[in-house]
């Protein structure tokens, strides 16, 4: 199980890095009047907000499963 956690963490960091690499270019093209942000700043913003999003969605999914909203797991016989 530890290998899966490490693989997931590595995948998460690769995706965050890919988003952080393209975000400053898109920001400069789409918002030319905005101040410059370095790749490192953009990486940490993507990593922080992405992690907060995953935690929030996971918590809401857990609450909805606990309250049996939207999904009823099959009963085991």
């Amino acid at each position: 199980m530890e290998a899966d956690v490490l693989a997931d963490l590595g995948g998460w960091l690769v995706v965050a890095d890919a988003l952080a690499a393209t975000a400053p270019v898109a920001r400069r093209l789409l918002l030319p009047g905005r101040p410059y942000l370095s790749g490192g700043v953009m990486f940490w913003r993507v990593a922080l907000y992405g992690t907060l999003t995953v935690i929030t969605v996971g918590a809401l999914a857990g609450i909805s499963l606990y309250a049996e909203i939207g999904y009823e797991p099959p009963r085991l016989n």
Side-chain angles (χ1 to χ4, degrees), residues 1 3 5 11 13 18 28 31 40 53 57 63 67 73 76:
M1 182 161 176
V5 172
L13 289 175
R28 277 186 233 122
L31 304 169
T53 301
V57 169
I63 290 168
L76 298 176

Side-chain angles (χ1 to χ4, degrees), residues 11-60:
W12 182 262
L13 289 175
V14 167
V15 170
D17 192 34
L19 289 173
T22 57
V25 175
R27 181 182 168 100
R28 277 186 233 122
L29 291 175
L30 298 174
L31 304 169
R34 303 288 294 197
Y36 175 76
L37 290 178
S38 68
V41 170
M42 194 63 70
F43 172 79
W44 288 113
R45 281 189 180 184
V46 169
L48 173 68
Y49 292 131
T51 303
L52 289 175
T53 301
V54 168
I55 291 170
T56 303
V57 169
L60 291 175

